[in-house]
Amino acid sequence: MDTIVVRGIQIDGAGSTGEVDGILLDGSAKGAAIEGVLVENVSVTNFPRYQVYAAGVVFDIVFRRFTGMNPDRAASDIVYFFWPGSGGAPSQLTFDDSWLSPYTSGKWAFRTTVSSDTRFFGGTVAPYAVDANGVWAVGGVSIYGTHFEAIGGTTNVGLRYVGSNGAFISPSALGGFAVGIQIGDPTAKAKNAVHGFIAGGVSGNTKDIQVVDGGSRQGTVLASYSSGATVDNLR
């Protein structure tokens, strides 16, 4: 399935019950694949599970001027890409000038099991619950000028990177989290997180940059970031 455009609508799930998602991209069946989807000028809000859920072989997906949030009810992660481990992994996931805001503590604005490359251009990641999180990227990720802003917490993370495809992390601002940028996963320390390049506005977090101990962190580069930013090196 390819060349699908969803444009100019609002989808609200405030009246739905059960494990219901706002947008479902299901490429999990044998031989199935979802590619070439554009979601533009669309808002998806208040569904009880994920606002966007993708499973299986899903690639070349673009969210442009997209809004995902759950201000009126508890929900899971705003956007979740799940890969079961067989078939092609998700890739070429792009968020262009989009707004992602989880309103549930402990949940993420964006999370993926794995994606060979996830890309954020501009836009805002703004968790509106204490200890709600930003972006959890596994595989590879590029962040260009995205604004990350949290309202505080003791466990939340702005951006967590794990993987071997590299990370270019250059937010316009990233603040208000317990950990701003986390290289490695403290719940699975043996996993590698290599070739992470950090350059951008990172400040106002309890720990601005944290390098987790465990697996390889080869090639981590702190090129330039906000004056006075703290680095927590657990290696």
Side-chain angles (χ1 to χ4, degrees), residues 4-215:
I4 298 171
V5 177
V6 182
R7 177 179 288 128
I9 62 173
Q10 179 182 2
I11 309 171
D12 187 77
S16 58
T17 59
E19 292 191 348
V20 179
D21 307 312
I23 293 176
L24 171 63
L25 303 172
D26 189 358
S28 61
K30 185 176 181 180
I34 303 288
E35 66 168 314
V37 177
L38 171 63
V39 181
E40 185 175 39
N41 293 323
V42 169
S43 69
V44 181
T45 57
N46 295 317
F47 282 86
R49 195 168 71 152
Y50 307 110
Q51 308 312 306
V52 177
Y53 177 56
V57 183
V58 181
F59 60 98
D60 193 13
I61 311 297
V62 176
F63 295 88
R64 180 175 297 134
R65 298 288 295 173
F66 168 78
T67 297
M69 59 176 63
N70 60 304
D72 299 324
R73 71 186 307 166
S76 191
D77 306 319
I78 299 301
V79 179
Y80 179 38
F81 277 74
F82 171 72
W83 183 56
S86 60
S91 68
Q92 299 146 275
L93 312 179
T94 301
F95 293 84
D96 181 8
D97 199 18
S98 295
W99 184 295
L100 305 180
S101 293
Y103 280 72
T104 304
S105 179
K107 303 305 180 181
W108 293 80
F110 172 87
R111 181 167 67 96
T112 180
T113 307
V114 66
S115 167
S116 62
D117 56 309
T118 300
R119 301 164 301 213
F120 283 80
F121 298 95
T124 300
V125 175
Y128 278 133
V130 173
D131 281 327
N133 302 284
V135 171
W136 185 349
V138 180
V141 65
S142 299
I143 306 287
Y144 299 91
T146 305
H147 181 94
F148 288 73
E149 180 180 350
I151 63 172
T154 59
T155 63
N156 56 342
V157 177
L159 171 66
R160 175 183 291 165
Y161 163 62
V162 180
S164 301
N165 289 0
F168 183 88
I169 304 168
S170 184
S172 61
L174 194 156
F177 296 90
V179 177
I181 296 173
Q182 191 172 65
I183 305 298
D185 181 356
T187 68
K189 293 183 177 182
K191 292 183 177 180
N192 295 336
V194 300
H195 307 304
F197 184 95
I198 300 171
V202 185
S203 64
N205 307 281
T206 305
K207 298 175 180 178
D208 292 313
I209 300 169
Q210 183 180 73
V211 181
V212 177
D213 56 335

